[in-house]
Amino acid sequence: MGYKILLVEDDEFLSDIYSTKFRNAGFEVDVAKDGASGLQKVREEKPNAVLLDIVMPRMDGFEVLHSIRQISDLAGVKVVMLSNLGQQEDVEKGMKLGADAYIIKAHNTPTEVVAKVKELLNASARG
């Protein structure tokens, strides 16, 4: 498979769980602990997908998503909002800003999150 993802998550415990699950599924994983460093890593590494928490220090997930969508050479990067903010307005805001998917952490196991990201990337690879 060889997909490369960037996990932008300030909770170290969750970050470790998701990183392990994705690595076990054959993904190359990099992690950023806040929005600003996440955005910098997206620019430098151009991963296939970014999993983006919303509530983070220095720059929230919505700001990072907005910034990614302003950079033309990052147009192919899939962005998945991965948050516990499950209010309808949060989901709508994420999708309106250009997220490819919005996953609520509390409603999905890490295994389900991996499956959804894999499905998203495979669908875009098919065309």
Side-chain angles (χ1 to χ4, degrees):
M1 179 189 342
Y3 288 125
K4 182 177 187 177
I5 65 159
L6 174 65
L7 176 61
V8 187
E9 169 65 69
D10 62 324
D11 182 317
E12 207 164 313
F13 177 72
L14 288 176
S15 181
D16 288 347
I17 290 172
Y18 285 111
S19 295
T20 300
K21 285 285 181 188
F22 275 97
R23 283 191 184 100
N24 289 347
F27 287 81
E28 186 182 325
V29 181
D30 195 7
V31 176
K33 299 281 185 222
D34 63 68
S37 59
L39 182 57
Q40 185 175 347
K41 285 186 178 201
V42 175
R43 284 187 174 127
E44 292 167 1
E45 300 172 20
K46 296 182 181 56
N48 301 101
V50 178
L51 274 74
L52 199 50
D53 189 15
I54 294 174
V55 181
M56 294 182 294
R58 293 180 62 204
M59 192 178 198
D60 74 29
F62 291 131
E63 292 173 283
V64 175
L65 172 59
H66 179 74
S67 298
I68 289 170
R69 292 302 182 225
Q70 301 305 306
I71 303 167
S72 60
D73 65 336
L74 297 179
V77 175
K78 297 292 177 196
V79 179
V80 176
M81 303 308 284
L82 182 61
S83 179
N84 272 323
L85 294 182
Q87 298 299 318
Q88 189 62 36
E89 58 265 25
D90 294 317
V91 176
E92 286 172 6
K93 182 177 181 180
M95 298 310 284
K96 197 184 314 182
L97 284 170
D100 294 286
Y102 194 110
I103 300 174
I104 299 166
K105 291 176 194 171
H107 298 180
N108 295 271
T109 67
T111 302
E112 289 169 332
V113 172
V114 170
K116 287 179 181 187
V117 171
K118 196 182 289 188
E119 196 178 292
L120 181 69
L121 288 168
N122 288 338
S124 73
R126 285 193 297 270

